[in-house]
Coordinates of all heavy atoms in Angstrom, one line a residue:
M837 N -25.6 12.6 -16.5 CA -24.8 11.5 -16.1 C -25.6 10.7 -15.1 O -26.2 11.2 -14.1 CB -23.5 11.9 -15.5 CG -22.6 10.8 -15.2 SD -21.0 11.3 -14.5 CE -20.4 12.5 -15.6
D838 N -25.7 9.4 -15.3 CA -26.5 8.6 -14.4 C -25.7 8.3 -13.1 O -24.5 8.6 -13.0 CB -27.0 7.3 -15.0 CG -25.8 6.3 -15.4 OD1 -24.7 6.6 -15.1 OD2 -26.1 5.2 -15.9
N839 N -26.4 7.8 -12.1 CA -25.8 7.6 -10.8 C -24.5 6.7 -10.8 O -23.5 6.9 -10.2 CB -26.8 7.0 -9.8 CG -26.4 7.0 -8.4 OD1 -25.7 7.9 -8.0 ND2 -26.8 6.0 -7.7
K840 N -24.6 5.6 -11.6 CA -23.5 4.7 -11.7 C -22.2 5.4 -12.2 O -21.1 5.2 -11.7 CB -23.8 3.4 -12.5 CG -22.8 2.3 -12.4 CD -23.4 1.0 -12.8 CE -22.7 -0.1 -12.1 NZ -23.2 -0.6 -10.9
N841 N -22.4 6.1 -13.3 CA -21.3 6.9 -13.9 C -20.7 7.9 -12.9 O -19.5 8.1 -12.9 CB -21.7 7.5 -15.2 CG -21.8 6.5 -16.3 OD1 -21.2 5.4 -16.3 ND2 -22.6 6.8 -17.3
Q842 N -21.6 8.5 -12.2 CA -21.2 9.5 -11.2 C -20.3 8.8 -10.1 O -19.3 9.4 -9.7 CB -22.4 10.2 -10.6 CG -22.0 11.3 -9.6 CD -21.2 12.4 -10.1 OE1 -21.3 12.8 -11.3 NE2 -20.3 13.0 -9.3
Q843 N -20.8 7.7 -9.7 CA -20.0 6.9 -8.6 C -18.6 6.5 -9.2 O -17.6 6.6 -8.5 CB -20.8 5.7 -8.2 CG -22.0 6.0 -7.4 CD -22.8 4.8 -7.0 OE1 -22.8 3.8 -7.8 NE2 -23.4 4.8 -5.8
I844 N -18.6 6.1 -10.4 CA -17.3 5.7 -11.0 C -16.4 6.9 -11.1 O -15.2 6.8 -10.8 CB -17.5 5.1 -12.4 CG1 -18.2 3.7 -12.3 CG2 -16.2 4.9 -13.2 CD1 -18.7 3.1 -13.6
K845 N -16.9 8.0 -11.5 CA -16.1 9.3 -11.6 C -15.6 9.7 -10.2 O -14.4 10.0 -10.1 CB -17.0 10.4 -12.2 CG -16.2 11.7 -12.4 CD -17.1 12.8 -12.9 CE -16.3 14.0 -13.1 NZ -17.0 15.2 -12.8
E846 N -16.4 9.6 -9.2 CA -15.9 9.9 -7.9 C -14.9 8.9 -7.4 O -13.9 9.4 -6.8 CB -17.1 9.9 -6.9 CG -18.1 11.0 -7.1 CD -19.3 10.9 -6.2 OE1 -19.4 10.1 -5.3 OE2 -20.3 11.7 -6.5
L847 N -15.0 7.7 -7.7 CA -14.0 6.7 -7.3 C -12.7 6.9 -8.0 O -11.6 6.8 -7.4 CB -14.5 5.3 -7.6 CG -15.5 4.7 -6.6 CD1 -16.0 3.4 -7.1 CD2 -14.9 4.5 -5.2
I848 N -12.7 7.3 -9.3 CA -11.5 7.6 -10.0 C -10.8 8.8 -9.4 O -9.6 8.8 -9.2 CB -11.8 7.9 -11.5 CG1 -12.2 6.5 -12.2 CG2 -10.7 8.5 -12.2 CD1 -12.8 6.7 -13.6
E849 N -11.6 9.9 -9.1 CA -11.0 11.1 -8.4 C -10.4 10.7 -7.1 O -9.3 11.2 -6.8 CB -12.1 12.1 -8.3 CG -12.5 12.7 -9.6 CD -13.7 13.7 -9.5 OE1 -14.2 13.9 -8.4 OE2 -14.1 14.2 -10.5
L850 N -11.1 9.9 -6.3 CA -10.5 9.6 -5.0 C -9.3 8.7 -5.1 O -8.3 8.9 -4.4 CB -11.6 8.8 -4.1 CG -12.7 9.6 -3.6 CD1 -13.8 8.7 -3.1 CD2 -12.3 10.7 -2.6
N851 N -9.3 7.8 -6.1 CA -8.1 7.0 -6.3 C -6.9 7.9 -6.8 O -5.8 7.7 -6.3 CB -8.4 5.9 -7.4 CG -7.2 4.9 -7.5 OD1 -6.9 4.3 -6.5 ND2 -6.7 4.8 -8.6
D852 N -7.2 8.9 -7.6 CA -6.1 9.8 -8.1 C -5.5 10.6 -6.9 O -4.3 10.8 -6.8 CB -6.7 10.8 -9.1 CG -6.9 10.1 -10.4 OD1 -6.4 9.0 -10.7 OD2 -7.6 10.7 -11.3
E853 N -6.4 11.0 -6.0 CA -5.9 11.7 -4.8 C -5.1 10.8 -3.9 O -4.0 11.2 -3.4 CB -7.1 12.2 -4.0 CG -7.8 13.4 -4.6 CD -9.0 13.9 -3.8 OE1 -9.1 13.6 -2.6 OE2 -9.9 14.5 -4.4
L854 N -5.5 9.6 -3.7 CA -4.7 8.6 -2.9 C -3.4 8.3 -3.6 O -2.3 8.3 -2.9 CB -5.5 7.3 -2.8 CG -5.1 6.4 -1.7 CD1 -4.9 7.0 -0.4 CD2 -6.0 5.2 -1.7
E855 N -3.4 8.2 -4.9 CA -2.1 7.9 -5.6 C -1.2 9.1 -5.4 O 0.0 9.0 -5.3 CB -2.3 7.6 -7.1 CG -2.9 6.3 -7.3 CD -2.0 5.1 -6.9 OE1 -0.8 5.2 -7.0 OE2 -2.5 4.1 -6.4
N856 N -1.7 10.3 -5.5 CA -0.9 11.5 -5.3 C -0.3 11.6 -3.9 O 0.9 11.9 -3.7 CB -1.8 12.8 -5.6 CG -1.0 14.0 -5.5 OD1 0.1 14.1 -6.1 ND2 -1.4 15.0 -4.8
Y857 N -1.1 11.2 -2.9 CA -0.6 11.1 -1.5 C 0.6 10.1 -1.5 O 1.6 10.4 -0.9 CB -1.7 10.7 -0.6 CG -1.1 10.3 0.8 CD1 -0.7 11.2 1.7 CD2 -1.0 8.9 1.1 CE1 -0.2 10.8 2.9 CE2 -0.4 8.5 2.3 CZ 0.0 9.5 3.2 OH 0.5 9.1 4.4
F858 N 0.4 8.9 -2.1 CA 1.5 7.9 -2.0 C 2.8 8.4 -2.7 O 3.8 8.2 -2.2 CB 1.0 6.6 -2.7 CG 0.0 5.8 -1.9 CD1 -1.0 5.3 -2.6 CD2 0.1 5.7 -0.6 CE1 -2.0 4.5 -1.9 CE2 -0.8 5.0 0.1 CZ -1.9 4.4 -0.6
R859 N 2.6 9.1 -3.8 CA 3.8 9.6 -4.5 C 4.5 10.7 -3.7 O 5.7 10.9 -3.9 CB 3.4 10.2 -5.9 CG 3.2 9.1 -6.9 CD 3.1 9.8 -8.3 NE 1.9 10.7 -8.4 CZ 0.7 10.3 -8.6 NH1 0.4 9.1 -8.9 NH2 -0.3 11.2 -8.7
N860 N 3.8 11.5 -2.9 CA 4.4 12.7 -2.3 C 4.7 12.5 -0.8 O 5.2 13.5 -0.2 CB 3.5 13.9 -2.5 CG 3.5 14.2 -4.0 OD1 4.5 14.5 -4.6 ND2 2.3 14.2 -4.6
T861 N 4.4 11.4 -0.2 CA 4.6 11.3 1.2 C 6.1 10.9 1.5 O 6.7 10.3 0.6 CB 3.7 10.3 1.9 OG1 3.9 10.3 3.3 CG2 4.0 8.8 1.4
I862 N 6.6 11.3 2.6 CA 8.0 11.0 3.0 C 8.0 9.9 4.0 O 9.0 9.4 4.5 CB 8.8 12.2 3.5 CG1 8.1 12.8 4.7 CG2 8.9 13.2 2.4 CD1 8.9 13.8 5.4
I863 N 6.8 9.4 4.4 CA 6.6 8.4 5.5 C 6.6 7.0 4.8 O 5.7 6.7 4.0 CB 5.3 8.7 6.2 CG1 5.3 10.1 6.8 CG2 5.1 7.6 7.3 CD1 4.0 10.5 7.3
P864 N 7.4 6.1 5.3 CA 7.4 4.7 4.8 C 6.1 4.0 5.4 O 5.9 4.0 6.6 CB 8.6 4.0 5.3 CG 9.4 5.0 6.1 CD 8.6 6.3 6.2
Q865 N 5.2 3.6 4.5 CA 4.0 3.0 5.0 C 3.7 1.7 4.1 O 3.9 1.7 2.9 CB 2.8 3.9 4.8 CG 2.9 5.1 5.7 CD 1.7 6.1 5.4 OE1 1.2 6.2 4.3 NE2 1.4 6.9 6.4
L866 N 3.3 0.7 4.9 CA 2.9 -0.6 4.2 C 1.4 -0.8 4.4 O 0.9 -0.5 5.5 CB 3.6 -1.8 4.9 CG 5.2 -1.7 4.8 CD1 5.7 -2.9 5.6 CD2 5.7 -1.7 3.4
F867 N 0.7 -1.2 3.4 CA -0.7 -1.5 3.5 C -1.0 -2.9 3.2 O -0.6 -3.4 2.2 CB -1.5 -0.6 2.6 CG -1.3 0.9 2.8 CD1 -0.2 1.6 2.3 CD2 -2.2 1.5 3.7 CE1 -0.1 2.9 2.6 CE2 -2.0 2.9 3.9 CZ -0.9 3.6 3.4
V868 N -1.5 -3.6 4.2 CA -1.7 -5.1 4.1 C -3.2 -5.3 4.4 O -3.9 -4.6 5.1 CB -0.8 -5.9 5.1 CG1 0.6 -5.7 4.7 CG2 -1.1 -5.6 6.5
D869 N -3.7 -6.4 3.8 CA -5.1 -6.8 4.1 C -5.2 -7.7 5.3 O -4.2 -8.0 6.0 CB -5.8 -7.4 2.8 CG -5.2 -8.7 2.4 OD1 -4.4 -9.4 3.2 OD2 -5.4 -9.2 1.3
A870 N -6.4 -8.2 5.6 CA -6.6 -9.1 6.7 C -5.8 -10.4 6.7 O -5.6 -11.0 7.7 CB -8.1 -9.4 6.9
H871 N -5.4 -10.8 5.5 CA -4.6 -12.0 5.4 C -3.1 -11.7 5.3 O -2.3 -12.6 4.9 CB -5.0 -12.8 4.1 CG -6.5 -13.1 4.2 ND1 -7.0 -14.0 5.0 CD2 -7.5 -12.5 3.5 CE1 -8.4 -14.1 4.8 NE2 -8.7 -13.2 3.9
L872 N -2.7 -10.5 5.6 CA -1.3 -10.1 5.6 C -0.7 -10.0 4.2 O 0.5 -10.2 4.1 CB -0.4 -10.9 6.6 CG -0.8 -10.9 8.0 CD1 0.1 -11.7 8.9 CD2 -0.9 -9.4 8.6
I873 N -1.5 -9.8 3.2 CA -1.1 -9.7 1.9 C -0.7 -8.2 1.6 O -1.6 -7.3 1.9 CB -2.1 -10.2 0.8 CG1 -2.5 -11.6 1.1 CG2 -1.6 -9.9 -0.6 CD1 -1.3 -12.6 1.0
L874 N 0.4 -7.9 1.1 CA 0.9 -6.6 0.8 C 0.0 -6.0 -0.3 O 0.0 -6.6 -1.4 CB 2.3 -6.5 0.5 CG 3.0 -5.2 0.3 CD1 2.9 -4.3 1.5 CD2 4.4 -5.3 -0.1
R875 N -0.7 -4.9 -0.1 CA -1.6 -4.4 -1.1 C -1.0 -3.1 -1.7 O -1.2 -2.8 -2.9 CB -3.0 -4.1 -0.5 CG -3.7 -5.3 -0.2 CD -3.9 -6.1 -1.4 NE -4.5 -7.5 -1.1 CZ -4.5 -8.5 -1.9 NH1 -4.0 -8.3 -3.1 NH2 -5.0 -9.6 -1.5
K876 N -0.2 -2.4 -1.0 CA 0.3 -1.1 -1.4 C 1.4 -0.7 -0.5 O 1.5 -1.1 0.7 CB -0.8 -0.1 -1.5 CG -0.5 1.1 -2.3 CD -1.8 1.8 -2.6 CE -1.8 2.6 -3.9 NZ -1.5 2.0 -5.1
F877 N 2.3 0.2 -1.0 CA 3.3 0.8 -0.1 C 3.8 2.1 -0.7 O 3.6 2.3 -1.9 CB 4.5 -0.2 0.1 CG 5.1 -0.7 -1.1 CD1 6.1 0.0 -1.9 CD2 4.8 -2.0 -1.6 CE1 6.6 -0.5 -3.0 CE2 5.4 -2.5 -2.7 CZ 6.3 -1.8 -3.4
T878 N 4.3 3.0 0.1 CA 4.7 4.3 -0.3 C 6.1 4.1 -0.9 O 6.9 3.2 -0.5 CB 4.7 5.3 0.8 OG1 5.5 4.8 1.9 CG2 3.3 5.5 1.3
P879 N 6.6 5.1 -1.7 CA 7.9 5.0 -2.2 C 9.0 5.0 -1.1 O 10.0 4.2 -1.3 CB 8.1 6.3 -3.1 CG 6.7 6.5 -3.6 CD 5.8 6.1 -2.4
P880 N 8.9 5.7 0.0 CA 9.9 5.6 1.0 C 9.9 4.1 1.6 O 11.0 3.7 2.0 CB 9.5 6.6 2.1 CG 8.7 7.6 1.3 CD 8.0 6.9 0.3
A881 N 8.8 3.5 1.7 CA 8.8 2.1 2.2 C 9.5 1.2 1.2 O 10.2 0.2 1.6 CB 7.3 1.6 2.4
M882 N 9.4 1.5 -0.1 CA 10.1 0.7 -1.1 C 11.6 0.7 -0.8 O 12.2 -0.3 -0.9 CB 9.8 1.2 -2.5 CG 10.5 0.5 -3.6 SD 10.2 1.2 -5.2 CE 8.7 0.4 -5.7
K883 N 12.1 1.9 -0.5 CA 13.5 2.0 -0.3 C 13.9 1.4 1.1 O 14.9 0.7 1.2 CB 13.9 3.5 -0.3 CG 13.8 4.1 -1.7 CD 14.1 5.6 -1.6 CE 13.8 6.2 -3.0 NZ 13.8 7.6 -3.0
Q884 N 13.2 1.7 2.1 CA 13.5 1.3 3.4 C 13.4 -0.2 3.6 O 14.2 -0.8 4.3 CB 12.6 2.0 4.5 CG 13.0 1.5 5.9 CD 12.7 2.5 6.9 OE1 12.4 3.7 6.6 NE2 12.9 2.2 8.2
F885 N 12.4 -0.8 3.0 CA 12.2 -2.3 3.2 C 12.6 -3.1 1.9 O 12.3 -4.3 1.9 CB 10.7 -2.5 3.5 CG 10.2 -1.8 4.7 CD1 9.1 -1.0 4.6 CD2 10.9 -1.8 5.9 CE1 8.6 -0.3 5.7 CE2 10.5 -1.1 7.0 CZ 9.3 -0.3 6.9
S886 N 13.3 -2.5 1.0 CA 13.8 -3.2 -0.2 C 12.7 -4.0 -0.9 O 12.7 -5.1 -1.2 CB 14.9 -4.3 0.2 OG 16.0 -3.6 0.8
L887 N 11.6 -3.2 -1.2 CA 10.4 -3.8 -1.8 C 10.4 -3.4 -3.3 O 11.1 -2.4 -3.7 CB 9.1 -3.2 -1.2 CG 8.9 -3.6 0.3 CD1 7.7 -2.8 0.8 CD2 8.7 -5.1 0.4
N888 N 9.7 -4.1 -4.1 CA 9.5 -3.7 -5.5 C 8.1 -4.0 -5.9 O 7.4 -4.7 -5.1 CB 10.5 -4.3 -6.5 CG 10.4 -5.8 -6.5 OD1 9.3 -6.4 -6.9 ND2 11.5 -6.5 -6.2
V889 N 7.6 -3.5 -7.0 CA 6.2 -3.7 -7.4 C 5.8 -5.1 -7.5 O 4.6 -5.4 -7.3 CB 5.9 -3.0 -8.7 CG1 6.1 -1.5 -8.6 CG2 6.8 -3.5 -9.8
D890 N 6.7 -6.1 -7.7 CA 6.4 -7.5 -7.7 C 6.0 -8.0 -6.3 O 5.4 -9.1 -6.2 CB 7.5 -8.3 -8.3 CG 7.8 -8.0 -9.7 OD1 6.9 -7.6 -10.4 OD2 9.0 -8.1 -10.1
D891 N 6.3 -7.3 -5.3 CA 6.0 -7.7 -3.9 C 4.5 -7.5 -3.6 O 4.0 -8.1 -2.7 CB 6.8 -7.0 -2.9 CG 8.3 -7.4 -3.0 OD1 8.5 -8.7 -3.2 OD2 9.2 -6.6 -2.9
V892 N 3.8 -6.6 -4.3 CA 2.4 -6.4 -4.1 C 1.7 -7.7 -4.4 O 1.9 -8.4 -5.5 CB 1.8 -5.3 -5.0 CG1 0.3 -5.2 -4.9 CG2 2.5 -4.0 -4.6
G893 N 0.8 -8.2 -3.5 CA 0.1 -9.4 -3.7 C 0.7 -10.6 -3.0 O 0.2 -11.7 -2.9
R894 N 1.9 -10.3 -2.4 CA 2.6 -11.4 -1.7 C 2.4 -11.2 -0.2 O 2.1 -10.0 0.3 CB 4.1 -11.4 -2.0 CG 4.4 -11.7 -3.4 CD 5.9 -11.6 -3.8 NE 6.7 -12.5 -2.9 CZ 7.9 -12.2 -2.6 NH1 8.6 -11.2 -3.1 NH2 8.6 -13.0 -1.8
S895 N 2.6 -12.2 0.6 CA 2.4 -12.1 2.0 C 3.6 -11.2 2.6 O 4.7 -11.3 2.1 CB 2.5 -13.5 2.7 OG 2.5 -13.3 4.1
I896 N 3.2 -10.4 3.6 CA 4.2 -9.6 4.3 C 5.3 -10.5 4.9 O 6.4 -10.1 5.0 CB 3.6 -8.6 5.3 CG1 4.6 -7.6 5.8 CG2 3.0 -9.3 6.5 CD1 5.0 -6.6 4.7
S897 N 4.9 -11.7 5.2 CA 5.8 -12.7 5.8 C 6.9 -13.0 4.9 O 8.1 -13.3 5.3 CB 5.1 -14.0 6.2 OG 4.1 -13.7 7.2
D898 N 6.7 -12.9 3.6 CA 7.7 -13.2 2.5 C 8.8 -12.1 2.5 O 9.9 -12.4 2.0 CB 7.1 -13.3 1.1 CG 6.1 -14.5 1.0 OD1 6.2 -15.4 1.9 OD2 5.3 -14.5 0.1
N899 N 8.4 -11.0 3.0 CA 9.4 -9.8 3.0 C 9.9 -9.4 4.3 O 10.6 -8.5 4.4 CB 8.7 -8.6 2.4 CG 8.4 -8.8 0.9 OD1 9.3 -9.1 0.1 ND2 7.1 -8.7 0.6
K900 N 9.5 -10.2 5.4 CA 9.9 -9.7 6.7 C 11.4 -9.7 6.9 O 11.9 -8.9 7.8 CB 9.2 -10.6 7.8 CG 9.7 -12.0 7.9 CD 8.9 -12.7 9.0 CE 9.4 -14.1 9.1 NZ 8.7 -14.8 10.2
D901 N 12.2 -10.5 6.2 CA 13.6 -10.4 6.3 C 14.2 -9.1 5.9 O 15.3 -8.7 6.3 CB 14.3 -11.6 5.6 CG 13.9 -12.9 6.2 OD1 13.6 -13.0 7.4 OD2 14.0 -14.0 5.5
N902 N 13.5 -8.4 5.0 CA 14.0 -7.1 4.5 C 13.6 -6.0 5.5 O 14.1 -4.9 5.3 CB 13.3 -6.8 3.1 CG 13.7 -7.7 2.0 OD1 14.6 -8.5 2.2 ND2 12.9 -7.7 1.0
I903 N 12.8 -6.3 6.4 CA 12.3 -5.2 7.4 C 13.1 -5.4 8.7 O 13.0 -6.4 9.3 CB 10.8 -5.4 7.5 CG1 10.1 -5.2 6.2 CG2 10.3 -4.4 8.5 CD1 8.6 -5.6 6.2
R904 N 13.7 -4.3 9.1 CA 14.5 -4.3 10.3 C 13.6 -4.1 11.6 O 13.8 -3.2 12.4 CB 15.5 -3.2 10.3 CG 16.6 -3.5 9.3 CD 17.6 -2.3 9.3 NE 17.0 -1.0 9.1 CZ 17.1 -0.3 8.0 NH1 17.8 -0.8 7.0 NH2 16.5 0.9 7.9
F905 N 12.6 -5.0 11.6 CA 11.6 -4.9 12.7 C 11.1 -6.3 12.9 O 10.1 -6.7 12.3 CB 10.5 -3.9 12.3 CG 9.4 -3.7 13.4 CD1 9.8 -3.6 14.7 CD2 8.1 -3.6 13.0 CE1 8.8 -3.4 15.7 CE2 7.1 -3.4 14.0 CZ 7.5 -3.3 15.3
P906 N 11.8 -7.1 13.7 CA 11.6 -8.6 13.7 C 10.2 -9.0 14.0 O 9.7 -10.1 13.6 CB 12.6 -9.1 14.8 CG 13.5 -8.0 15.1 CD 12.9 -6.7 14.6
S907 N 9.4 -8.2 14.8 CA 8.1 -8.6 15.2 C 7.0 -7.9 14.4 O 5.9 -7.9 14.8 CB 7.9 -8.3 16.7 OG 8.0 -6.9 16.9
I908 N 7.4 -7.5 13.2 CA 6.4 -6.8 12.4 C 5.1 -7.6 12.1 O 4.0 -7.1 12.2 CB 7.0 -6.2 11.0 CG1 6.0 -5.3 10.4 CG2 7.4 -7.4 10.1 CD1 6.5 -4.4 9.3
V909 N 5.3 -8.9 11.7 CA 4.1 -9.7 11.4 C 3.2 -9.9 12.7 O 2.0 -9.7 12.6 CB 4.5 -11.1 10.9 CG1 3.3 -12.0 10.7 CG2 5.3 -10.9 9.5
E910 N 3.8 -10.1 13.8 CA 3.1 -10.3 15.0 C 2.4 -8.9 15.4 O 1.2 -9.0 15.8 CB 4.0 -10.7 16.2 CG 4.5 -12.1 16.1 CD 5.7 -12.2 15.1 OE1 6.3 -11.2 14.7 OE2 6.0 -13.3 14.7
N911 N 3.0 -7.8 15.2 CA 2.4 -6.5 15.5 C 1.2 -6.2 14.6 O 0.3 -5.7 15.0 CB 3.4 -5.4 15.5 CG 4.4 -5.4 16.6 OD1 4.6 -6.4 17.2 ND2 5.0 -4.3 16.9
I912 N 1.3 -6.6 13.3 CA 0.2 -6.4 12.4 C -0.9 -7.2 12.8 O -2.1 -6.8 12.8 CB 0.7 -6.6 11.0 CG1 1.7 -5.6 10.5 CG2 -0.5 -6.6 10.0 CD1 2.3 -5.8 9.2
Q913 N -0.6 -8.5 13.2 CA -1.7 -9.4 13.5 C -2.5 -8.9 14.7 O -3.6 -8.9 14.9 CB -1.2 -10.8 13.8 CG -0.7 -11.5 12.5 CD 0.0 -12.8 12.8 OE1 0.6 -13.0 13.8 NE2 -0.1 -13.7 11.9

């Protein structure tokens, strides 16, 4: 197997491990990028913050009314 295929295989394995963590954690977690775009969240965060898969790719500011933490955007910044 060449180096590029090995790297792809390793990335797939790491992604699978990360997805397994997300599915099995009980901690509500939001993952946003430097522009405050929601990139991922754990299932408990989905319930706690009334999120759905369509919210991925949207600004966290668009969902801040669902989050009972009024200064969340300021704290993330």
Side-chain angles (χ1 to χ4, degrees):
M837 184 179 310
D838 67 0
N839 189 36
K840 189 159 206 93
N841 285 338
Q842 181 62 31
Q843 289 176 328
I844 291 170
K845 183 180 180 217
E846 289 174 12
L847 285 172
I848 289 170
E849 289 172 2
L850 290 170
N851 190 57
D852 288 346
E853 288 178 23
L854 193 55
E855 287 298 324
N856 186 48
Y857 166 77
F858 288 139
R859 279 190 302 274
N860 292 301
T861 188
I862 60 170
I863 303 166
Q865 296 175 331
L866 303 174
F867 298 86
V868 297
D869 67 14
H871 303 289
L872 300 180
I873 302 299
L874 184 62
R875 294 297 172 197
K876 198 162 202 60
F877 51 83
T878 60
M882 179 184 273
K883 292 176 186 169
Q884 178 150 355
F885 303 129
S886 300
L887 297 170
N888 64 59
V889 293
D890 295 331
D891 292 320
V892 172
R894 294 177 57 206
S895 172
I896 192 70
S897 298
D898 294 343
N899 292 303
K900 70 179 182 180
D901 293 337
N902 295 345
I903 301 170
R904 292 181 305 254
F905 183 41
S907 61
I908 190 166
V909 173
E910 292 80 14
N911 286 24
I912 293 171
Q913 291 172 327

